Amino acid sequence: MTVTLPLVLVLVLGVIAWAAIKFLGIRMWAAIVIALFGFWLAHTFLAPAVESGTRTGVHIVNGKHI
C-alpha cells in the first residue's frame, strides 16, 4: 500500500483541527489550520464527494429537491 505525502498531510491537519476544537476551543490559529485542511482536502480523491455532499446539503436547506 502506497501512502502519498498529501494523504499524510491531510490526516495530520485533520488531527490538529480536531484537537484544536476539542481541547482548545475555536481560536484564530485553529481556524487557519481548519482552512488549510480544506485546501489540502480539495486536492485529494475525496474532493468530488465533498462537493456533491455540500451541494446536496444546500439544496435540502433551500427546499429544492434534486
Side-chain angles (χ1 to χ4, degrees), residues 12-43:
V12 169
L13 287 174
V15 169
I16 291 170
W18 173 81
I21 292 169
K22 179 87 171 151
F23 300 112
L24 301 174
I26 299 293
R27 295 192 174 134
M28 181 57 83
W29 71 269
I32 292 170
V33 168
I34 292 168
L36 289 174
F37 176 70
F39 284 110
W40 281 106
L41 185 63
H43 294 291

Side-chain angles (χ1 to χ4, degrees), residues 34-60:
I34 292 168
L36 289 174
F37 176 70
F39 284 110
W40 281 106
L41 185 63
H43 294 291
T44 67
F45 66 94
L46 294 173
V50 171
E51 181 180 357
S52 174
T54 303
R55 286 183 189 271
T56 302
V58 168
H59 286 300
I60 290 171

